[in-house]
Amino acid sequence: MKIGEKIKKRRKEIKMTQADLSDGICTQAMISRIEKKKVRPSRELMEKLAERLNVSLHYFYGEDSVESRYSKTAQLCKLIRQHLERREYDSVSYLISTNEELIDQTIGEDKLFFEWVTALLYDYRDGDHDKALDHLIALEKTTKNGELRIEIIDSIGNQYLRKEDYDTAEKYYHRGFDMFSEWMSHEKKAKLLLNYSVCLALKKKYSDCLSKVFQGLDLVVSENTLFLLGDFLYYKGYCLENLDQKEDALEAYKKAWMIFDIQQNEKFSVSMQLTIDRLEKELGNVTQLEK
C-alpha cells in the first residue's frame, strides 16, 4: 500500500475529512494530490500529518526506513534536551547508552549534537572538566550550524567560567553573541546572554553586565515567556545594587521573587526573599540615619 493510500485509509478510520487533516498544515488540494499519488510529500509534511492522524512515521514507512530512523532520532534529541534542561544527567546517560545503534547511524548535525551531549556528560556525569573542554573546543571547530555552534560556544564559556578564567569565558560568550540571528531560538540566545551576564558580574563589570541583562529581558519579554526571566531580573538587581542604585535593585529583586514564586522554584524564592529582607533592612537603616 502506497503512502497516499495509507493516509486515506487512516483518515477514513478516524472519520476525518481532507479539510480536517490539512487545517493549519497544508492545503486540502495537497492532501487530495497525495492520496491520489500525484505528489510525494516531504518528510517535514509527513511528520505533521502523522501527528494529526495520531500515528508514528513507522505507520507509513516501516520500522527500518530512513524516514522512520530520522523520526526516532528527532524524538531522542527532543527527549535528551528535556532532561538536560532539568539537569538529569543520569537520564541523559541512560538514553545515550540504550540508543547506541541509532546514534551510530546519525550523520551531519544530529551526529554533532550527540558529540556535544557526550562532552556535557564528561563534565557533569564524570567530573572530567578538562576532557569535556578539550572535546568541546575540537567540536566547535568542526561545527558550522548556527544554533548548535552557539550552544557549543556557550558550553565552552561555561567551562572557563567554572575554572575562574573569566577573561577567556568572556571572549567565548562575546563570540557566541556576535553570531546571533533573528531566526535562532530565543531560548538558546537567552541562555548565552544569561551566562554572559554572570561572567561580567563576576568580573565586576556591572554596567556591561546590566547592558546584557536588559537585552536578555527584552528578548524573553518579546517572546512572552517566563523562561529565565527571574534570573535576568535577579542580575538586574545585583548590578543595580553594586552600582549603588539600591531602591531600583530592591524593585528588581521583588520582581524576580515573584517570578520564582510563580514557577514554584522554592530554592530561588527563599534565596530571593533573604536578599530582599537584607536590602530592605539596609535601606531602613539608611533612612533612620538621614533623619
Side-chain angles (χ1 to χ4, degrees), residues 2-229:
K2 301 294 184 181
I3 290 175
E5 295 172 332
K6 290 182 179 180
I7 290 176
K8 185 175 182 178
K9 178 177 179 290
R10 177 58 182 164
R11 181 172 62 76
K12 294 287 187 180
E13 284 176 354
I14 59 176
K15 297 180 172 56
M16 182 181 287
T17 66
Q18 289 183 345
D20 293 332
L21 178 57
S22 64
D23 186 33
I25 297 177
C26 61
T27 64
Q28 182 178 342
M30 174 61 77
I31 299 298
S32 177
R33 293 180 68 196
I34 293 171
E35 291 185 353
K36 292 177 179 178
K37 296 175 283 186
K38 292 184 177 180
V39 64
R40 182 177 177 83
S42 67
R43 184 167 57 194
E44 181 181 0
L45 176 56
M46 283 305 303
E47 287 179 347
K48 294 177 180 179
L49 295 178
E51 183 177 0
R52 179 68 56 83
L53 292 167
N54 198 26
V55 293
S56 69
L57 282 182
H58 311 157
Y59 177 87
F60 300 109
Y61 297 109
E63 287 283 344
D64 298 324
S65 66
V66 173
E67 289 83 357
S68 179
R69 189 163 63 243
Y70 173 85
S71 178
K72 291 178 183 177
T73 303
Q75 291 171 18
L76 178 60
C77 291
K78 181 179 180 180
L79 191 56
I80 286 175
R81 283 191 178 280
Q82 290 172 350
H83 286 294
L84 285 176
E85 287 293 330
R86 298 192 290 266
R87 301 180 182 181
E88 297 168 346
Y89 299 109
D90 287 340
S91 297
V92 173
S93 181
Y94 174 79
L95 288 170
I96 293 292
S97 63
T98 54
N99 288 277
E100 288 182 352
E101 184 177 349
L102 176 64
I103 293 171
D104 287 342
Q105 296 176 20
T106 58
I107 59 174
E109 184 181 337
D110 289 334
K111 187 175 185 65
L112 294 171
F113 168 79
F114 289 115
E115 287 291 331
W116 172 61
V117 173
T118 297
L120 297 182
L121 291 177
Y122 288 152
D123 182 9
Y124 297 107
R125 180 195 61 191
D126 304 336
D128 195 334
H129 310 309
D130 290 335
K131 186 176 182 179
L133 183 57
D134 290 343
H135 195 83
L136 287 166
I137 290 173
L139 186 60
E140 192 258 330
K141 293 177 181 177
T142 61
T143 305
K144 296 180 180 179
N145 175 269
E147 285 197 352
L148 182 58
R149 192 175 182 197
I150 280 181
E151 290 183 293
I152 294 169
I153 289 172
D154 192 19
S155 296
I156 295 173
N158 294 344
Q159 290 296 317
Y160 281 113
L161 199 66
R162 293 174 66 175
K163 288 174 173 287
E164 298 185 3
D165 185 348
Y166 302 139
D167 289 340
T168 305
E170 183 181 356
K171 289 178 183 177
Y172 273 96
Y173 292 137
H174 186 75
R175 183 189 300 179
F177 178 75
D178 282 345
M179 292 172 59
F180 280 5
S181 297
E182 290 185 5
W183 55 267
M184 289 180 178
S185 160
H186 71 275
E187 293 182 349
K188 294 179 177 63
K189 291 193 284 189
K191 287 178 185 177
L192 187 137
L193 275 170
L194 180 62
N195 291 327
Y196 198 170
S197 301
V198 173
C199 179
L200 293 169
L202 289 170
K203 293 184 71 174
K204 298 183 180 181
K205 298 169 72 170
Y206 300 119
S207 294
D208 291 341
C209 176
L210 201 56
S211 174
K212 292 294 177 285
V213 165
F214 281 128
Q215 290 179 59
L217 285 170
D218 287 343
L219 177 64
V220 296
V221 169
S222 68
E223 294 292 335
N224 195 29
T225 176
L226 297 181
F227 181 71
L228 296 183
L229 179 58

